[in-house]
Amino acid sequence: MMRMNNPTLHPAATNGGTDDDGDARSPRGIQSIEVGGQLLKALVRAGSALALKDLARAAGMTPAKAHPYLVSFGKLGLVEQDAVSGRYGLGPLALQLGLIGLQQVDPVRLAVAQLPALAAQLGCTVSAAVWGPMGPIIVHVEHGPTPVHVAMRHGTPASLRHTGTGKVFAAFAPPQAVAEALAREGEAAALDDPAFAAELQDIRRERLSRVRDELLPGISAMAVPVFDGFGRLALALAAIGPSALLDLGVGSPQAQALRACGEQLSRRLGYTGQGIA
């Protein structure tokens, strides 16, 4: 019979959380839990059930070392073993934890917390928007170091056809809802416009919308989607600034920083789909 070793504490646990010089160290933890947790992470990365040898290899351990962890995780419901194939997958408790975690996360709260640093990094005004009763609506604006004379504030609707934020929703929101919102904007035929349809396809591929001098001369914007754990569009992040200062190139530092922020928030919301590392 295989037997787990007693849980071991990190070294910090033996000296009160400080080193020999009295410097603060990271909080103590149970090392065996962290080691076993690599198996759960490996299952999440795989996205499917794995045989013992494959799961152990993905977690960086031998099958003999992995097995007792899996036995304990199975008793807790964190993993379960298929009776026919013998493969290990996430168990009912892991699924319940995931669902509860998704319910507890507030996408807007997470996004708003990121906006001040994002505005400073990009050097321009940034915003977050969600889908409201009538279409996209801006819920928070963080002004950057460069003033932008645009009537954009909390509660401002975003045009689906002519704004970076709106185009993200036009590309990723449910088609029927998008069509109805476009009709309310007086753009009922927009989705039949080949140029607009091609633009939306580019946005879906690049995960980035770009608008230059479209609503106001000299003002440009770009926006990225943020997805939730179910793969649905949760909100859009946008950057707006003088066209001379906002580089709309797909590979520009500003575009990469904005996209990275959107992907980080998507991961926080549980999204693991295409485009998220």
Side-chain angles (χ1 to χ4, degrees):
M1 177 181 296
M2 303 188 70
R3 181 170 60 86
M4 287 186 62
N5 295 327
N6 291 330
T8 57
L9 296 177
H10 279 307
T14 63
N15 58 14
T18 60
D19 60 20
D20 294 338
D21 296 324
D23 295 331
R25 300 182 65 177
S26 61
R28 67 182 184 180
I30 299 176
Q31 190 175 33
S32 59
I33 292 179
E34 297 176 16
V35 173
Q38 298 304 314
L39 292 163
L40 299 177
K41 290 183 177 181
L43 283 175
V44 171
R45 291 193 299 268
S48 61
L50 295 173
L52 174 58
K53 62 181 180 62
D54 297 325
L55 176 54
R57 181 171 59 249
M61 61 182 73
T62 65
K65 182 178 180 180
H67 184 262
Y69 287 106
L70 294 172
V71 171
S72 293
F73 287 153
K75 291 178 179 179
L76 292 173
L78 288 171
V79 301
E80 61 182 2
Q81 185 178 23
D82 184 81
V84 177
S85 68
R87 292 173 177 266
Y88 291 90
L90 292 176
L93 179 58
L95 300 179
Q96 292 167 16
L97 289 171
L99 291 173
I100 292 172
L102 291 175
Q103 294 169 5
Q104 292 179 343
V105 172
D106 181 351
V108 174
R109 178 180 61 81
L110 290 178
V112 168
Q114 297 293 320
L115 293 186
L118 183 63
Q121 182 180 11
L122 299 182
C124 60
T125 296
V126 295
S127 67
V130 300
W131 186 269
M134 306 298 288
I137 185 167
I138 295 172
V139 294
H140 193 84
V141 176
E142 188 71 33
H143 294 287
T146 303
V148 180
H149 302 292
V150 178
M152 185 174 67
R153 59 185 182 276
H154 305 174
T156 301
S159 167
L160 285 162
R161 184 73 186 269
H162 299 292
T163 67
T165 291
K167 290 179 181 183
V168 166
F169 283 96
F172 294 104
Q176 183 61 36
V178 171
E180 293 172 357
L182 282 167
R184 286 192 291 268
E185 291 182 13
E187 298 276 4
L191 294 178
D192 296 324
D193 180 353
F196 187 53
E199 184 178 8
L200 296 184
Q201 280 296 103
D202 290 340
I203 293 171
R204 295 184 188 105
R205 183 182 67 253
E206 298 171 351
R207 304 292 174 98
L208 178 73
S209 70
R210 296 171 288 167
V211 173
R212 180 180 296 278
D213 305 331
E214 195 160 327
L215 280 179
L216 292 173
I219 299 297
S220 293
M222 55 185 171
V224 297
V226 174
F227 300 100
D228 65 19
F230 299 99
R232 301 173 304 200
L233 181 65
L235 53 88
L237 297 179
I240 183 170
S243 299
L245 301 179
L246 190 60
D247 188 344
L248 298 184
V250 175
S252 73
Q254 289 169 309
Q256 290 179 345
L258 182 62
R259 188 187 286 112
C261 186
E263 292 181 352
Q264 179 190 32
L265 286 171
S266 294
R267 286 193 295 269
R268 290 283 305 276
L269 295 175
Y271 181 67
T272 58
Q274 181 180 2
I276 305 297

